[in-house]
Amino acid sequence: LHTVGKLEWDISDTSRLLQSLEVQSGRSDTFVESVTSLKNNIRGNLYWRLSYDVRHNSSVPPDNPQTTTTLSMSVQYTFGNIFS
């Protein structure tokens, strides 16, 4: 089983909230990844992005966490519309 879902919401003309969820499930393992991010225009095609990533794996080696989280912030440039 492999399922993917995405949601995008334009909060304003310069801000967008993005949410994605991916689930992969087999006989012995299930992997789930959720990414929530806020994208905000700085000027022109320059923007910043704040992301929170949660990953869960039901089958991991001993002493490894089943769930990991990552918080990141980046400044990015695009050669097209930032909300395309």
Side-chain angles (χ1 to χ4, degrees), residues 13-76:
D13 289 342
T14 59
S15 300
R16 175 177 277 181
L17 181 69
L18 302 106
Q19 173 66 51
S20 67
L21 179 66
E22 178 178 2
V23 178
Q24 296 180 31
S25 184
R27 289 186 176 164
S28 62
D29 187 30
T30 300
F31 172 78
V32 179
E33 180 178 36
S34 171
V35 179
T36 305
S37 38
L38 179 63
K39 191 174 182 179
N40 196 350
N41 181 258
I42 297 171
R43 183 175 181 151
N45 291 350
L46 185 66
Y47 62 95
W48 60 261
R49 184 177 191 149
L50 180 65
S51 295
Y52 185 66
D53 186 354
V54 179
R55 293 180 179 197
H56 177 82
N57 195 330
S58 65
S59 178
V60 294
D63 298 328
N64 286 349
Q66 284 186 308
T67 303
T68 59
T69 60
T70 305
L71 179 64
S72 62
M73 183 171 183
S74 59
V75 175
Q76 301 175 345

